[in-house]
Amino acid sequence: MAMAPLQVFLFACAIALLASSSMVSAEVIEHSFQVQNLTINRLCRRQVINAVNGSLPGPTLHVREGDTLVVHVFNKLPYDLTIHWHGVFQLLSGWADGPEFATQCGIRPGSSYTYRFNITGQEGTLWWHAHVSWLRATVHGAFIIRPKRQRSYPFPKPYREVPILLGEWWNANVVDVENEGLASGATPNNSNAYTINGQPGDLYPCSSNKTYKLKVKQGKTYLLRIINAALNNQLFFKIANHNMKVVSVDAAYTNPYITDVVVVAPGQTTDVLLTANQAPAAYYMAAKPYVSVVGVPFDNTTTTGVIVYEGSKPSTPKMPILPAFNDTTTAHKFFTNLTGLVTGPFWIPPPRQVDEHMFVTVGLGLIACGEAGNATCAGPNGQRFAASMNNASFQLPTKMSMLEAFFNNVPGIYTTDFPDQPSLKFDYTNPNNSFNSAIIMTTKSTKVKKLKFNATVEIVMQNTALIGVENHPIHLHGFNFHVLAQGFGNYNPTIDSKKFNLVNPQERNTIAVPVGGWAVVRFRANNPGVWLMHCHLEVHLPWGLATAFVVENGPTPSTKLPPPPPDLPKCSSP
């Protein structure tokens, strides 16, 4: 039946209105990052750090889902620099992902590079950080993705939203700290403090006057966007006398989970709702390390901030009782009680059919010292500390980025023979194997796993006890994955596959693989390019605890990686 002229007019107006609304809701957000040295006071001393736009943490980026972000990065440091947008999918924009020698070469001192990408299918808290050396210790900031203007959160709108960045501080140049460790083959020096929004807090010397403070109103609910920006430590986070309700992790909505303690591994984010429902007073928020490895020195200190109720009388803040540093039971309970919100706006069920099955051992090892003469390194047995996945200790190229090699089909930059299984099967989590000379040594290589476009991948990440057994936070660039199950000991496919949550598993981009245990994840490789998978304990990345996925182009123009931008930095090596 033909439409009347008035109906045609109204229909056309409705279409135009929808189109206009869509255009208005998506914006181009533009920022400039001036990255240079900054002298600040911490722990009774002046320290030169690397910082963005003169602040620690760096600027918080606010976008909405569907927006395009453009960030002009000007490198005024004496080091090469890149910026990684941690957790952003980078659909068809792998050139903007940021890890040095993986998707780009470093921005040379005195040079610049513009990162440009769309934020699609994501809401919540992510973050950005340097992805060269240890620069991310102070070159980092929050990345907040709000819903489009027509949409709301899947929970009551909070009164206020507050980023809480947990960091780590050294009384030294962090690049020197890393280089000294790599030169000797030993572990680098531990940090001197932890921080909340850049400040150590009341329990450290010369710090009380700058302790982070959050004023709250009685009865109001606040969305705390918690980010672990520390380099080498997972952290327990508590607020005295208050519970928190987890509503999102790694920018993926969860079923509400009420807890009095949050555990965040480096790279992870956790959004919690905090209701100011206690007696008007001052309450400490505090964070201390969760350390699962036995017998290794670590920075066993506690950072604090203060929550102050409006109208309360001045008082000494109440201190929360934090878990013991090695409380794996509490950490595992938190990590395994999270489930995905299937009614969330971007929920996708986990794939049921699997194209690629991988079993990947994750842990430490040793490589030959390599020194001339009779010199020895400072690692165990006079060797050099290393780390590996399936006994392949990953070494990034230096002549060209892996993504350039992929795009231009250049051989010799990486090999596509990363094994789906470890070459040697052993009792992976048995501490008696910690220094087994038959299995402890590894070698360097640049082995990657090649995937067909849209392939579904299941990875069993199996922790090992080599050198020492500990919880490893494994981060996958370019994708979220579903966490199907986690457990302790050696993975048993007959028994443990029955524990898979295929109904509402949590989604993450960084999984804390349990100490002496395993985790199983699945994802769909629907984004062509080169995507790192690595431990987010910064000490372990240069040791080689990494690999990469090379995802082939899809069959259509809209599923192929576009050419690089004209200002993509070039490598300085010949």
Side-chain angles (χ1 to χ4, degrees):
M1 187 174 70
M3 297 177 71
L6 179 59
Q7 291 174 304
V8 172
F9 174 75
L10 291 175
F11 179 75
C13 287
I15 294 296
L17 186 62
L18 283 170
S20 173
S21 172
S22 175
M23 286 187 290
V24 167
S25 66
E27 300 180 10
V28 177
I29 310 297
E30 195 162 1
H31 292 273
S32 290
F33 281 7
Q34 305 287 338
V35 191
Q36 56 194 9
N37 287 342
L38 175 70
T39 301
I40 61 176
N41 293 308
R42 293 290 188 280
L43 305 184
C44 312
R45 56 180 282 152
R46 289 170 66 79
Q47 179 68 44
V48 176
I49 66 168
N50 316 123
V52 176
N53 296 353
S55 68
L56 174 68
T60 296
L61 302 183
H62 296 272
V63 298
R64 291 187 182 273
E65 193 272 325
D67 286 349
T68 297
L69 182 65
V70 179
V71 182
H72 309 285
V73 177
F74 298 90
N75 182 15
K76 300 178 181 179
L77 299 175
Y79 316 107
D80 286 2
L81 171 73
T82 68
I83 301 293
H84 171 51
W85 317 92
H86 186 111
V88 174
F89 292 154
Q90 299 292 359
L91 292 168
L92 300 181
S93 56
W95 304 106
D97 191 43
E100 186 184 31
F101 300 127
T103 61
Q104 67 168 97
C105 299
I107 306 169
R108 303 292 302 280
S111 299
S112 65
Y113 178 49
T114 295
Y115 294 89
R116 183 185 184 97
F117 53 91
N118 296 327
I119 296 93
T120 305
Q122 294 180 278
E123 293 173 5
T125 303
L126 297 173
W127 63 302
W128 57 265
H129 61 80
H131 213 297
V132 174
S133 182
W134 279 21
L135 295 180
R136 76 171 176 86
T138 52
V139 179
H140 63 252
F143 189 123
I144 295 172
I145 308 170
R146 292 195 174 92
K148 288 182 177 180
R149 297 187 189 278
Q150 298 92 338
R151 289 206 304 263
S152 59
Y153 296 125
F155 47 81
K157 183 179 179 181
Y159 176 72
R160 187 181 164 200
E161 302 178 15
V162 184
I164 302 290
L165 285 95
L166 308 177
E168 201 166 2
W169 176 267
W170 276 260
N171 286 332
N173 180 320
V174 291
V175 175
D176 293 343
V177 172
E178 181 195 23
N179 288 340
E180 288 163 7
L182 292 174
S184 70
T187 57
N189 291 336
N190 289 320
S191 56
N192 298 99
Y194 303 104
T195 58
I196 294 177
N197 288 345
Q199 297 294 337
D202 290 353
L203 304 185
Y204 296 94
C206 308
S207 301
S208 294
N209 62 334
K210 293 288 187 178
T211 296
Y212 172 72
K213 290 182 173 61
L214 172 62
K215 286 188 175 181
V216 298
K217 289 185 176 182
Q218 180 77 36
K220 298 295 186 182
T221 296
Y222 297 78
L223 177 62
L224 304 186
R225 299 178 177 273
I226 305 167
I227 300 166
N228 187 346
L231 261 63
N232 295 318
N233 283 282
Q234 306 195 47
L235 295 165
F236 291 116
F237 177 85
K238 288 189 75 171
I239 300 171
N241 291 19
H242 291 74
N243 283 333
M244 295 169 280
K245 183 186 290 184
V246 179
V247 292
S248 177
V249 294
D250 292 1
Y253 290 118
T254 64
N255 287 307
Y257 174 61
I258 296 174
T259 179
D260 68 340
V261 61
V262 166
V263 193
V264 273
Q268 291 183 336
T269 70
T270 303
D271 289 356
V272 301
L273 295 175
L274 170 73
T275 300
N277 57 8
Q278 297 298 301
Y283 300 86
Y284 275 125
M285 62 175 76
K288 67 175 285 189
Y290 162 52
V291 178
S292 55
V293 65
V294 176
V296 174
F298 65 97
D299 177 4
N300 192 13
T301 61
T302 301
T303 180
T304 56
V306 183
I307 290 179
V308 181
Y309 278 65
E310 284 189 9
S312 62
K313 296 177 181 179
S315 61
T316 301
K318 296 177 175 62
M319 188 72 183
I321 300 174
L322 287 154
F325 71 87
N326 58 354
D327 190 348
T328 291
T329 301
T330 293
H332 192 66
K333 177 184 176 183
F334 177 82
F335 285 136
T336 56
N337 270 285
L338 302 173
T339 53
L341 183 67
V342 299
T343 57
F346 305 111
W347 169 258
I348 298 174
R352 294 301 182 104
Q353 181 179 339
V354 176
D355 301 314
E356 299 278 357
H357 289 269
M358 301 179 70
F359 184 97
V360 179
T361 56
V362 173
L364 304 185
L366 299 173
I367 57 172
C369 182
E371 300 290 339
N374 295 321
T376 58
C377 291
N381 302 338
Q383 304 295 344
R384 185 179 295 276
F385 270 110
S388 67
M389 292 183 174
N390 281 352
N391 204 36
S393 186
F394 194 75
Q395 181 169 285
L396 285 161
T398 57
K399 293 181 180 180
M400 175 185 289
S401 76
M402 298 166 70
L403 191 58
E404 287 177 280
F406 164 77
F407 184 81
N408 295 305
N409 200 26
V410 177
I413 303 300
Y414 57 81
T415 61
T416 57
D417 55 345
F418 181 82
D420 288 344
Q421 308 282 330
S423 57
L424 177 67
K425 292 179 171 56
F426 60 97
D427 189 358
Y428 304 112
T429 56
N430 187 342
N432 293 328
N433 278 325
S434 291
F435 288 93
N436 184 336
S437 59
I439 57 177
I440 200 172
M441 301 302 291
T442 185
T443 55
K444 292 290 184 182
S445 61
T446 312
K447 296 181 179 181
V448 307
K449 169 70 176 177
K450 198 171 186 179
L451 296 172
K452 295 286 187 184
F453 178 81
N454 224 31
T456 56
V457 185
E458 178 180 292
I459 309 172
V460 177
M461 300 181 187
Q462 175 66 63
N463 214 323
T464 74
L466 299 182
I467 305 295
V469 59
E470 65 180 304
N471 185 305
H472 291 282
I474 303 299
H475 171 50
L476 176 61
H477 288 231
F479 305 94
N480 277 359
F481 45 71
H482 293 94
V483 182
L484 303 188
Q486 305 171 63
F488 295 103
N490 296 330
Y491 176 76
N492 183 322
T494 303
I495 297 172
D496 295 326
S497 62
K498 296 175 182 176
K499 303 173 185 175
F500 286 3
N501 179 358
L502 296 172
V503 177
N504 61 351
Q506 59 180 287
E507 287 184 79
R508 280 199 175 275
N509 61 59
T510 305
I511 174 70
V513 181
V515 53
W518 51 268
V520 182
V521 304
R522 280 185 194 171
F523 72 97
R524 184 178 298 279
N526 57 2
N527 194 9
V530 176
W531 308 105
L532 283 185
M533 182 173 74
H534 64 89
C535 182
H536 220 274
L537 299 177
E538 203 67 20
V539 63
H540 292 168
L541 180 54
W543 287 359
L545 195 43
T547 186
F549 291 102
V550 173
V551 181
E552 296 178 347
N553 283 311
T556 65
S558 63
T559 57
K560 288 181 169 61
L561 179 71
D567 62 337
L568 184 75
K570 300 298 181 184
C571 287
S572 55
S573 299

